Every structure is written in structure tokens, then in C-alpha cells.
Amino acid sequence: MNFKVLTIALIAIVALVGCAAPPTPTPVPPAPTLAPTAVPPTAVPPTPVPPTVAPPTAAPAAPQPPVSFTLTFGPGRDATQAGTVTFTAKGAQTEVVLALQGAAAGVAQPAHIHAGACPGVGAVAFPLTNAADGKSTTMVNAALASLLTGGFGVNVHKATTEAGVYVACVNVPAGTLLTLDKGRDADETPATALLLDKAGKTDVMIFKKPSAAGITQPGHIHEGACPGVGSVKYPLTNTTDGKSTTTVDASLAILQAGGLAINLHKSTTEAGVYVACGSIPK
């Protein structure tokens, strides 16, 4: 074969090969997408909550006994009916309770606090609720101290239809109320002393916050002033459960002359501890 012809033939073959369509590439499938593996959450244990513990509650202190006293009725101007009348301090008011014996059923009996002395008495100072079946309770608009002037009497009448017949009467004694302050060594207030004139003697009543159960507390009227006080002038009945009553062999006027004080002690075994004290006013 001629070399020139061979060359032309080769050129023709190459041209044919170049003009041929390129082969279609075989598609490659995408790599499968793997779902993420779920990781279980780490369990967090709950924070323990400590139980709520209520603080210990102290027992409430017993209140001071009410300042109160009772009088026994004597004869009225015209007749006699036995009974009592009780006065209790209520701040700016006074509760007055009548308890009469032998009352006729269904009969209302008027009663009053009068000016003046028994048995005749004077004008009505404070009306009281009529006694029914021998009983009545009245809240009088006057502080207890204002009734202790020595100028009043409680008078009971036979019936509303026989109001001119006086059947029971008693004089309200002169007296004084004394609020005690803390003592030299401790404070067991509130505490109050009530002093009532008793025909040349004096009833001294103590009303205070009770101490521990079963504890008796000595008390005295001392010479000198609070809180130190001096020697004992008049002994008082030991206070038990916050109350005591003593009839002192001295008139109210003597006790109010000055220089005396009421002093209360913690207990019979701790008499050197002063827990409440008040100077008696003139």
C-alpha cells in the first residue's frame, strides 16, 4: 500500500472517532442517607425536696385573770333579799352581774348603781338591766376605777310594779387599781393589784399572768420604791394560778400615804428573784 494512501486512511479513521457521540456516563446512585441514631436522653434524677418541718410552737402563755371582785348584798331599805353583785374590769367599761336568791319566777326586778350610801341611796348614776329570775348582766359605760370612789351603792327593787320597795343594797367600796411593772430581776407582767377599803382594813387582790402550774409566788407590801424595794411591811397571800386575796390590817388611807410598794417574787424557792413591782399611789 502506498504510504500516502495509508496516511489518509488513518486521518479519516481518527476524524470518524472524534465525531462519534460521547458515551453516556452510568449514573451513580447517591449514597443512602442514614437516619441519625436516636440517643436516649440521660435521665436526671429529681432533686430531693426536704420535708417541711414546722418549727415547734410554744404553748401560748395563759392570760392574766380578769380583774374582778364580788360584793354580798345587805338588807334594802324596806326588805331583805340575799344575793351578790360582781364587778369585772372591761377596759373603759365595767361588767356588772347580779345573782339574787329567792327571786319570784317571771318577776322583773329593777336595779341601779346609785349615788350615795345604803340603805337610802340617792339618784341613779348607772341603770342596770332588770334582774329576771334573779339574774342580770350589764355592761356599764364607766371604767372600774371610776366606780371605786366610795360614793356609790347598788340597789335592787322588788319589782317593776313595786319599784319603791328596796330589797337589797350594798355600798361599792373605795379603792384603787395599780398596774405593776416588771420586777428588779425579771418580767412576769401583765399584773394588776386591786386595793379595796374594808372598814379600817384593806383587801389586796393580785391578778397576774400565771406562772408555771403548781408554782406559788410570794408577794409583799414593802417599804421603799420599785424596783429594789426595802423591808417587808405587810405580807400577802401567795399567788397561785395568777390570783391571790389578802385582808391587810391597815386602812386604805395608810397604804396610800406614800412610801410603799407591792412586790411579787418568782417562787417560794426563788424568793430573791423579783418579777413584778408597783408603787402604791397616794
Side-chain angles (χ1 to χ4, degrees):
M1 182 179 292
N2 189 304
F3 178 77
K4 183 177 180 181
V5 175
L6 180 59
T7 301
I8 293 171
L10 291 173
I11 293 171
I13 293 170
V14 171
L16 289 173
V17 173
C19 292
T24 302
T26 302
V28 178
T33 302
L34 299 178
T37 303
V39 179
T42 303
V44 178
T47 302
V49 179
T52 302
V53 179
T57 303
Q64 173 179 321
V67 177
S68 180
F69 67 94
T70 299
L71 303 174
T72 300
F73 280 114
R77 183 190 64 190
D78 311 299
T80 300
Q81 184 176 0
T84 61
V85 56
T86 299
F87 295 80
T88 302
K90 297 286 184 179
Q93 297 181 309
T94 303
E95 181 184 72
V96 180
V97 177
L98 300 179
L100 302 169
Q101 299 174 17
V107 175
Q109 294 184 258
H112 309 87
I113 297 176
H114 291 255
C118 296
V121 297
V124 172
F126 301 99
L128 301 176
T129 303
N130 290 349
D133 297 326
K135 298 182 183 302
S136 83
T137 298
T138 308
M139 196 66 71
V140 174
N141 286 320
L144 180 59
S146 68
L147 300 177
L148 301 178
T149 63
F152 295 107
V154 180
N155 190 49
V156 181
H157 306 254
K158 185 174 182 179
T160 53
T161 55
E162 296 181 89
V165 180
Y166 298 176
V167 297
C169 196
V170 63
N171 293 324
V172 182
T176 188
L177 277 168
L178 170 60
T179 299
L180 305 185
D181 201 352
K182 63 183 180 180
R184 181 192 66 190
D185 311 299
D187 186 356
E188 289 193 14
T189 58
T192 305
L194 172 63
L195 284 68
L196 297 176
D197 181 67
K198 193 176 184 179
K201 298 184 180 183
T202 305
D203 280 342
V204 179
M205 303 178 187
I206 302 297
F207 306 88
K208 71 173 291 294
K209 178 178 68 175
S211 186
I215 298 297
T216 57
Q217 297 183 264
H220 308 89
I221 297 177
H222 291 253
E223 294 179 337
C226 296
V229 300
S231 60
V232 173
K233 184 70 174 178
Y234 303 100
L236 301 177
T237 303
N238 289 349
T239 297
T240 303
D241 296 330
K243 295 188 293 183
S244 76
T245 299
T246 309
T247 299
V248 174
D249 192 14
S251 69
L252 181 62
I254 289 175
L255 298 183
Q256 292 183 306
L260 298 176
I262 294 176
N263 188 50
L264 303 181
H265 307 254
K266 186 173 183 179
S267 67
T268 52
T269 57
E270 295 180 273
V273 179
Y274 299 175
V275 299
C277 192
S279 297
I280 300 176
K282 293 184 178 182

